[in-house]
Amino acid sequence: MPSVAEILIPLALDSAYSYAVPAGLTLAVGDVVQIPLGPRETVGVVWGVRESPSGTNLRPVTGRLGVPPLSGPLRELVDWLARYTLAPKGSALAMTLRLPDEAAQAETVRIGVRASGKAPTRPTPARLKVLAVAEDGALRGKSALAKEAGVSLSVVDGLIDDGALEATALAPEPVALPPDPDHARVPLSEAQAGAVRDLIAMMNPAAAAACPADAVDESGGGQRPGKAGLGSPLLEGDQQGEAGAETPGKLITGAGDASPRAPTILLEGVTGSGKTEVYFEAVADCVRRGCQALILMPEIALTAQFLDRFAERFGVRPATWHSGIGAKRRERIRAGVAAGEIAVVVGARSALFLPFARLGLIVVDEEHEAAYKQEDGVHYHARDMAVVRGRIENCPVVLASATPSIETRVNAERGRYRRLVLPERFGGRRLPDIAAIDMRVDKPERGSFIAPSLIAAVRETVAAGDQALLFLNRRGYAPLTLCRACGHRYQCRNCSTWLVEHRFRRALVCHQCGYAERRPESCSECGTFDNLTPCGPGVERIAEEVTALFPDKRIIVLSSDFPGGAERLRAELQSVADGDCDIVIGTQLVAKGHNFPHLTLVGVLDADIGLTSGDPRAAERTFQLLQQVTGRAGRGEKPGRALVQTFQPDHPVIAALLSGDVERFYDEEIAAREAAGLPPFGRLAALIVSANDRDVAEAHGQALARAADPPDGVMVLGPAEAPLALIRGRYRFRILVKTERSVDLQTYLRDWIARGPKVRGNVKVAIDVDPQSFL
Ligand code: ADP
Ligand code: ZN
């Protein structure tokens, strides 16, 4: 009987397509194949093979591609991702699969040269210098050779033309050399050593069983014994089966648990407590066992500083994976990972879909970061998917944070995750003293934004030769521009956003779609000349104020739109770390993960910014951000302090920050979430309906809501116009679905969408399970 293969195609298609398997070709699940699709050929993955008499009527598979098949765990991850996010299965597949055109881009060939043995026709002194270096016959890059000989590149080129040097293509630089787990073990503090011991015991229950005395109760880190597990590590994924009762308490004693499941571990430690060194030991342990480790970071945290730190510990830099990596290099990383040759990858969220051969550990650094949520295409949360991948691979997952998400904290409290705590800063360093500046009393001068007491503190700091950071989470010069004569406000033509003035670029820019226009000399509405006024501050405006106050100090403004791109930005962050500037003015970009040893003062210019949004996580997010940014102070030799400008010093978030009573904040916030049935105690999903026409979008949203038919435990709110009602010319309405935890949200959504109105014209419905953004 002929064979039929079910082929999943990495396009936005929900199901696999059937193709005939031609005689002579044997296909297995996971094989990557070429297939005809409509008039063209494309790539797909075999998702199933069966015998069927109908095989003869189908178009045949063209052939198998010479690439490694998609492994079982990755296929499981694709299935999981699609089922959980409701994304088309083909879109989920696309995240793991190399797309054919990606490889087309060739890597630049490096040319190496060496002495050919032939004497130069014209032996100038410069030429002889080059030949003296090249004499050893080693292959060197052209510029390396020129540099070593102390001559210009043209001398080397001349010798190549002359035949005295021969040129050959160099093998491409390896994407990563093998890290040495014992390269340079740093002496750990007692708390760190305790945490490492616990961490490794949790990761390897068998090892713990061998030396239980070492593993039990010596948790210098204050880990809490968990209750019996309530289900799978991922709260929202409970209904996906596999919800075996896991008893974390058992793992650590290793008492007769035949098939222990690899745990998820929350590594919680205040800023500067040395979490990195702790999880580096877990990485080292994993590498020693011949397994691979993945360290996920929010993209912007992937700094040279971190990679250097890794190199100090392991002797080489790790392979890195983020949006700035070229296609050819990606290909080589993918191959190296699949072959098991690359032992450690440090990457942004998409690294989660790399085809690791022997994954032994996933670390999610700064696990609370909202940047882990992908907000377009497949709406997935990389932290949650890391937990899923860990479960599929049965490898431990470490979630590191100074300010864990409420979800993770609750998971740890309920025993689904283990928890390790580093309560103090490394090396006896103190956490910064934090004080509020009550802006109702301590008012900045008219037209300025920095309170006198903060100015005084900056003055003291720079006078002592230390660094100060002024934090404001707003890019550009001013968030709003209006005409003083007619009141006209400058708005994006594609989005419902105000245009943000960027004085440096002399432009008004939309931060949503990138639309930019020249800042007009006269009002485009009433024509009044030179009467436009900026409203409110952005970092550029603060820089203006600071420059006027401290004209002879070195000042730098750092935000994600820093001119010169990511490379330049990384270099600037490094120079801040090296102490090459006095005052840093920055957005959240500088708030996170960086280590600036000379920084002793942090000034938060507007602590209240995030508190008024309608986001159910507003308090949590503000707390995390303020805790992170104030935590930049005093990480070096000298103690640090933070001053926080606020109009509501009594707000619970600000009060918790000032008092340092973190536990109280978590307790209250968790109680509030539970009372409101918000995640993780209830579940949320958002449906975002958009169209080029406002009425069409609204009508579709209403029709969709009418079909909702919510059962018990499900609430459907909306449609309501989205806070960002217009983006890139598309009008947006949101429906919010709120359910009890026991509800099978995915099945409900799937059925609802299926019976809902047909999507017509340019209407789009995006589904966002566990939304992080409510805009
Ligand atoms: P966290 O990630 O918890 O904020 P880090 O891991 O960045 O903290 O450590 C904070 C600082 O302490 C860094 O400068 C780091 O180099 C230093 N540090 C941490 N542990 C050690 C150690 N065992 N020996 C020397 N320095 C350490
Ligand atoms: Zn816009």
Side-chain angles (χ1 to χ4, degrees):
M1 212 185 296
S3 285
V4 170
E6 303 300 333
I7 310 287
L8 191 60
I9 301 168
L11 297 172
L13 302 164
D14 209 18
S15 47
Y17 286 21
S18 300
Y19 284 84
V21 181
L25 184 66
T26 315
L27 288 180
V29 173
D31 281 349
V32 183
V33 293
Q34 194 172 336
I35 41 163
L37 183 72
R40 58 195 186 98
E41 293 274 312
T42 187
V43 169
V45 174
V46 179
W47 226 249
V49 186
R50 58 191 162 90
E51 308 283 297
S52 165
S54 72
T56 43
N57 307 327
L58 297 166
R59 297 177 82 177
V61 169
T62 312
R64 183 172 37 222
L65 295 183
V67 297
L70 198 69
S71 68
L74 272 184
R75 293 197 306 277
E76 206 179 318
L77 187 65
V78 167
D79 283 335
W80 216 103
L81 185 64
R83 193 168 50 204
Y84 190 78
T85 63
L86 276 83
K89 208 182 250 190
S91 304
L93 175 65
M95 310 199 49
T96 72
L97 201 66
R98 169 180 71 89
L99 293 175
D101 59 359
E102 223 184 79
Q105 203 181 316
E107 195 167 31
T108 47
V109 181
R110 298 187 311 138
I111 299 294
V113 289
R114 65 179 157 218
S116 67
K118 185 172 161 286
T121 46
R122 212 163 34 81
T124 63
R127 287 183 158 201
L128 291 176
K129 271 199 241 170
V130 174
L131 291 173
V133 174
E135 208 177 39
D136 61 3
L139 208 52
R140 289 178 175 79
K142 281 200 309 184
S143 45
L145 177 56
K147 204 168 159 204
E148 210 175 317
V151 303
S152 73
L153 202 58
S154 61
V155 179
V156 173
D157 281 331
L159 282 166
I160 296 172
D161 293 342
D162 198 34
L165 289 178
E166 59 185 15
T168 45
L170 285 177
E173 253 176 300
V175 281
L177 294 165
D180 173 4
D182 301 305
H183 174 75
R185 307 188 61 170
V186 267
L188 299 175
S189 72
E190 214 168 298
Q192 283 175 319
V196 167
R197 217 166 31 235
D198 289 349
L199 187 54
I200 290 181
M202 288 174 189
M203 285 168 53
N204 310 319
C211 50
D214 194 22
V216 187
D217 272 333
E218 263 190 61
S219 47
Q223 154 242 332
R224 287 187 188 178
K227 286 183 247 162
L230 297 180
S232 72
L234 190 68
L235 274 180
E236 277 76 26
D238 290 1
Q239 77 275 17
Q240 306 284 358
E242 276 202 53
E246 132 191 35
T247 46
K250 255 185 177 174
L251 283 180
I252 197 161
T253 60
D257 194 330
S259 58
R261 277 251 300 278
T264 298
I265 302 154
L266 165 60
L267 175 60
E268 183 175 353
V270 297
T271 54
S273 57
K275 294 183 288 297
T276 314
E277 306 301 332
V278 170
Y279 72 65
F280 273 180
E281 291 313 305
V283 169
D285 180 69
C286 170
V287 172
R288 264 183 224 115
R289 284 183 285 116
C291 292
Q292 296 168 296
L294 166 64
I295 303 174
L296 286 183
M297 307 198 109
E299 176 128 12
I300 201 63
L302 271 168
T303 54
Q305 207 183 11
F306 180 82
L307 302 178
D308 288 343
R309 216 167 142 186
F310 185 94
E312 268 167 40
R313 174 64 186 80
F314 293 96
V316 294
R317 282 189 166 200
T320 54
W321 181 271
H322 54 82
S323 59
I325 303 279
K328 199 70 194 172
R329 198 175 171 83
R330 274 173 183 258
E331 208 33 56
R332 287 169 52 211
I333 293 175
R334 214 187 297 257
V337 160
E341 287 157 7
I342 295 180
V344 181
V345 175
V346 177
R349 61 185 176 220
S350 58
L352 197 55
F353 300 97
L354 282 170
F356 289 96
R358 289 188 301 278
L359 193 56
L361 171 68
I362 306 175
V363 176
V364 184
D365 203 357
E366 312 286 358
E367 70 86 29
H368 62 278
E369 265 297 321
Y372 279 124
K373 180 72 189 278
Q374 174 150 309
E375 296 289 2
D376 50 12
V378 181
H379 292 247
Y380 72 96
H381 198 301
R383 179 237 300 141
D384 294 346
M385 286 305 126
V387 173
V388 170
R389 180 132 197 213
R391 200 175 59 191
I392 291 171
E393 307 266 1
N394 198 28
C395 82
V397 178
V398 173
L399 309 178
S401 176
T403 50
S405 61
I406 297 289
E407 282 83 350
T408 296
R409 274 292 296 249
V410 171
N411 274 327
E413 274 168 25
R414 309 227 156 165
R416 288 185 199 95
Y417 297 171
R418 316 295 307 275
R419 179 170 179 233
L420 286 169
V421 180
L422 292 169
E424 274 158 20
R425 277 197 163 175
F426 173 77
R429 283 167 201 151
R430 282 191 301 129
L431 280 168
D433 288 323
I434 306 179
I437 294 178
D438 188 337
M439 296 291 274
R440 296 164 304 184
V441 184
D442 193 356
K443 289 186 187 136
E445 266 181 48
R446 235 186 106 79
S448 52
F449 302 94
I450 311 176
S453 53
L454 182 52
I455 295 173
V458 172
R459 182 160 287 131
E460 262 169 47
T461 303
V462 293
D466 299 330
Q467 263 175 353
L469 165 66
L470 296 178
F471 170 75
L472 177 66
N473 213 6
R474 275 206 178 123
R475 292 183 283 138
Y477 184 84
L480 169 67
T481 301
L482 60 77
C483 169
R484 241 180 316 216
C486 72
H488 175 66
R489 298 165 169 218
Y490 284 79
Q491 196 173 350
C492 178
R493 59 167 70 167
N494 312 316
C495 310
S496 52
T497 51
W498 305 125
L499 291 177
V500 178
E501 180 179 355
H502 284 244
R503 199 150 278 197
F504 186 70
R505 287 168 60 186
R506 294 162 187 264
L508 299 176
V509 181
C510 171
H511 282 179
Q512 204 58 47
C513 73
Y515 166 81
E517 63 185 46
R518 240 189 110 75
R519 186 181 190 275
E521 308 258 292
S522 49
C523 177
S524 51
E525 203 59 21
C526 70
T528 309
F529 186 70
D530 201 14
N531 215 0
L532 297 183
T533 184
C535 297
V539 281
E540 291 181 8
R541 196 168 187 184
I542 298 301
E544 191 178 85
E545 191 174 331
V546 172
T547 309
L549 289 164
F550 303 98
D552 53 350
K553 293 297 169 196
R554 295 164 299 174
I555 296 163
I556 187 168
V557 182
L558 292 176
S559 65
S560 58
D561 48 15
F562 191 78
E567 267 320 302
R568 177 92 195 280
L569 188 57
R570 289 196 177 104
E572 294 298 340
L573 286 165
Q574 185 57 46
S575 76
V576 173
D578 294 341
D580 292 345
C581 80
D582 304 306
I583 305 171
V584 186
I585 297 153
T587 60
Q588 60 170 340
L589 179 105
V590 292
K592 298 174 177 178
H594 306 294
N595 212 2
F596 301 136
H598 306 279
L599 190 72
T600 59
L601 172 69
V602 169
V604 175
L605 295 179
D606 186 351
D608 311 331
I609 274 186
L611 289 175
T612 44
S613 75
D615 187 329
R617 292 188 185 83
E620 179 192 344
R621 293 250 184 276
T622 304
F623 181 74
Q624 285 161 340
L625 183 58
L626 294 182
Q627 188 86 1
Q628 290 288 336
V629 66
T630 55
R632 294 310 105 201
R635 291 167 71 95
E637 299 297 321
K638 292 195 190 175
R641 63 172 164 156
L643 292 171
V644 176
Q645 296 191 160
T646 173
F647 284 93
Q648 29 185 343
D650 302 325
H651 190 287
V653 168
I654 308 289
L657 184 76
L658 297 179
S659 68
D661 196 348
V662 176
E663 291 308 307
R664 179 151 160 217
F665 172 77
Y666 276 106
D667 288 348
E668 287 177 2
E669 185 63 19
I670 288 171
R673 292 270 182 95
E674 186 158 22
L678 285 168
F681 303 98
R683 317 187 61 205
L684 292 179
L687 306 185
I688 301 123
V689 181
S690 65
N692 294 347
D693 183 285
R694 189 181 180 283
D695 293 341
V696 171
E698 185 167 29
H700 191 90
Q702 281 164 348
L704 197 55
R706 275 195 300 275
D709 192 17
D712 274 357
V714 177
M715 228 158 77
V716 174
L717 309 159
E721 188 166 64
L724 276 172
L726 179 65
I727 298 184
R728 293 188 164 83
R730 294 184 66 83
Y731 292 84
R732 307 166 72 242
F733 284 80
R734 296 181 67 101
I735 297 174
L736 188 66
V737 184
K738 186 171 169 230
T739 79
E740 287 171 10
R741 250 181 62 69
S742 55
V743 171
D744 177 352
L745 178 60
Q746 278 78 6
T747 302
Y748 168 67
L749 289 175
R750 223 173 255 289
D751 293 349
W752 172 16
I753 300 285
R755 70 174 172 264
K758 278 259 168 309
V759 172
R760 269 195 311 260
N762 58 47
V763 171
K764 261 193 214 140
V765 180
I767 303 172
D768 186 358
V769 175
D770 306 335
Q772 297 286 315
S773 164
F774 294 81
L775 295 177

